[in-house]
Amino acid sequence: MNLPLRVMFQDEARFGRLSDPRKCWAPAPLRPVVAVSLVREYTYAYAAVSPQDGTLDWMLASKMDTLNMGAFLVHVSGKHPKEFVLMVLDGAPAHRAKDLKVPENMALIKLPPYSPELNPVELLWDELREKDFANRVFDSLGSAIAQAALGLKRLELDPALLQSLTGWSWILSSF
């Protein structure tokens, strides 16, 4: 197989109805009031980003397990059928399961244990939580899922922002 190489970084994160209170600005002497919800319902977002060109592939699932990880790998493989995808990921159990099926046009490389700072996808989760989930209360899990999808779609449609978030735009411009 002689295909062009695409390097992608993958991770998953949990989003749901448990609210995320954050600091926010208000003119003095006002003090902002933020609603809080302690309902623990979640969905899982799978994402893979190519920092070089800002491509984002994502999927939402009800669980973080080997079956959904396999489905996500197939999804990414299908989005890039004429490329060989080198997927860099952490050592989560679903990533190292013996029954995980990796598509033919893909290889997995595992990051060292306990090193989330090496995975630029972690920065996407911060962006989503800050812009799409901070200081919000969702009346249903469906509302939280819809918000996660909107936020991921917003990021997908902004490759320049993804390049900036994942920290590669300044590296590439220096060559």
Side-chain angles (χ1 to χ4, degrees):
M1 202 181 322
N2 194 9
L3 299 173
L5 179 66
R6 173 176 290 278
V7 177
M8 299 190 87
F9 292 83
Q10 189 278 331
D11 196 28
E12 45 295 299
R14 186 171 66 178
F15 292 91
R17 293 186 61 198
L18 185 61
S19 59
D20 185 16
R22 300 232 177 165
K23 291 180 181 179
C24 59
W25 181 88
L30 299 177
R31 185 177 181 128
V33 176
V34 176
V36 176
S37 171
L38 296 177
V39 178
R40 288 178 170 85
E41 291 182 308
Y42 303 101
T43 192
Y44 291 86
Y46 289 75
V49 67
S50 179
Q52 187 171 8
D53 65 2
T55 297
L56 174 65
D57 297 330
W58 58 275
M59 177 183 93
L60 296 175
S62 60
K63 293 182 183 176
M64 205 280 278
D65 59 13
T66 304
L67 184 66
N68 284 310
M69 182 62 189
F72 181 66
L73 294 179
V74 168
H75 171 71
V76 173
S77 173
K79 292 270 227 151
H80 309 283
K82 295 182 186 317
E83 298 173 300
F84 187 83
V85 178
L86 187 62
M87 186 76 72
V88 182
L89 37 69
D90 60 23
H95 302 171
R96 50 187 157 85
K98 291 187 187 326
D99 55 340
L100 178 64
K101 294 185 180 23
V102 180
E104 280 189 30
N105 69 327
M106 187 178 290
L108 306 182
I109 293 184
K110 295 190 176 54
L111 290 167
Y114 309 105
S115 58
E117 67 279 0
L118 297 178
N119 194 343
V121 178
E122 297 284 351
L123 301 168
L124 298 184
W125 307 139
D126 291 339
E127 173 76 6
L128 274 175
R129 287 188 173 100
E130 180 183 320
K131 301 285 190 316
D132 298 290
F133 281 83
N135 299 331
R136 299 207 44 194
V137 173
F138 299 98
D139 60 352
S140 68
L141 181 58
S143 298
I145 290 170
Q147 188 63 36
L150 282 172
L152 286 163
K153 191 64 174 174
R154 172 181 61 82
L155 290 172
E156 180 184 3
L157 296 174
D158 195 346
L161 174 63
L162 286 169
Q163 283 180 302
S164 176
L165 280 174
T166 56
W168 284 53
S169 58
W170 65 272
I171 293 172
L172 295 173
S173 65
S174 63
F175 289 105

